[in-house]
């Protein structure tokens, strides 16, 4: 209900409310909560707004939402995960298309081991560096493409891995903007 001009200011104030964020985590962690559905709906509206700060605000809850969805799915209590599933699918369906509604194709260049980086020196790798060096002299670089991804209407056992992997890719793309509580949630989901 806010006018477009006040969205950036609202988003900036929202991310600084740590008590609100911790309360939202508590609601998400309780799948039987009556507040879960309106919270998921509001988080989706934030994401759909297109405002970068509101998008990141929603993304910070993604690891916890994924964990709760998987935990509820494993218990076969599908009824209580409906709003979480809808939120996850909504974010996925928004992320697989660009602003004009065309499917996105993401590309990744795999770094060459023959060229130095902040992580390694080619000479320290040994004979594998020579093989990579020979390939790099021919101008070959490995580019991997991801997409186009199909839109999904529901999460099934067949598409669950693809959708959740793509959502974590979106989260990882914004990792530097995530608050510490979100990073802790990510570490917990990985260890679980």
């Amino acid at each position: 209900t806010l006018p477009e001009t006040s969205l950036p200011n609202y988003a900036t104030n929202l991310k600084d409310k740590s008590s609100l964020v911790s309360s939202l985590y508590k609601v998400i962690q309780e799948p039987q909560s009556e507040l879960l559905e309106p919270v998921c709906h509001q988080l989706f509206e934030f994401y759909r707004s297109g405002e970068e700060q509101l998008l990141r605000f929603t993304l910070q809850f993604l690891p916890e939402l994924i964990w709760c969805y998987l935990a509820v799915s494993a218990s076969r209590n599908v009824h209580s995960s409906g709003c979480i599933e809808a939120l996850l699918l909504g974010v996925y369906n928004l992320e697989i298309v660009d602003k004009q509604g065309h499917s996105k194709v993401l590309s990744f260049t795999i770094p060459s081991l023959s060229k130095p980086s902040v992580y390694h020196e080619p000479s320290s790798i040994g004979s594998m560096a020579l093989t990579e060096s020979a390939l790099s002299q021919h101008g070959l670089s490995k580019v991997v493409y991801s997409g186009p991804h199909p839109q999904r209407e529901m999460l099934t056992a067949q598409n669950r891995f693809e959708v959740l992997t793509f959502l974590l890719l979106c989260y990882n793309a914004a990792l530097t903007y995530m608050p510490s509580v979100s990073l802790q949630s990510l570490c917990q989901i990985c260890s679980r």
Side-chain angles (χ1 to χ4, degrees):
T1 61
L2 289 175
E4 287 288 322
T5 56
S6 60
L7 275 180
N9 190 28
Y10 174 75
T12 303
N13 292 335
L14 188 65
K15 76 174 187 135
D16 295 333
K17 296 183 179 182
S18 58
S19 61
L20 172 67
V21 170
S22 64
S23 296
L24 289 175
Y25 270 104
K26 288 177 185 171
V27 168
I28 292 169
Q29 291 166 354
E30 181 54 50
Q32 303 301 330
S33 172
E34 60 191 36
L35 297 174
L36 186 59
E37 189 173 336
V39 164
C40 288
H41 176 73
Q42 188 60 56
L43 288 174
F44 179 69
E45 290 300 321
F46 284 167
Y47 203 84
R48 195 170 70 153
S49 73
E51 173 63 38
E52 194 69 31
Q53 292 286 343
L54 291 177
L55 222 106
R56 291 178 187 152
F57 184 81
T58 299
L59 277 180
Q60 75 178 316
F61 299 104
L62 208 55
E64 198 65 38
L65 287 163
I66 290 173
W67 169 252
C68 290
Y69 171 75
L70 290 174
V72 169
S73 295
S75 70
R76 306 219 188 276
N77 188 359
V78 182
H79 181 268
S80 61
S81 69
C83 57
I84 295 175
E85 180 179 338
L87 173 59
L88 294 174
L89 280 171
V91 171
Y92 169 80
N93 285 328
L94 285 173
E95 281 296 325
I96 62 169
V97 295
D98 59 16
K99 300 230 184 261
Q100 289 77 30
H102 301 104
S103 293
K104 288 183 192 175
V105 176
L106 306 173
S107 64
F108 307 92
T109 302
I110 298 178
S112 171
L113 293 176
S114 65
K115 295 188 169 66
S117 73
V118 295
Y119 302 107
H120 80 287
E121 290 291 326
S123 60
S124 66
I125 297 178
S127 65
M128 183 167 44
L130 294 175
T131 306
E132 283 285 326
S133 176
L135 286 174
S136 71
Q137 289 175 0
H138 293 293
L140 299 176
S141 61
K142 179 80 171 166
V143 178
V144 178
Y145 295 97
S146 172
H149 297 278
Q151 291 216 336
R152 302 290 184 187
E153 292 182 15
M154 62 184 303
L155 286 174
T156 64
Q158 289 79 22
N159 68 20
R160 182 180 300 140
F161 178 74
E162 176 191 347
V163 171
L164 297 181
T165 300
F166 187 82
L167 288 173
L168 283 175
L169 178 72
C170 296
Y171 179 85
N172 287 340
L175 198 62
T176 57
Y177 302 106
M178 295 298 121
S180 61
V181 67
S182 181
L183 298 174
Q184 288 171 352
S185 176
L186 178 65
C187 290
Q188 288 171 347
I189 184 179
C190 291
S191 67
R192 290 175 186 158

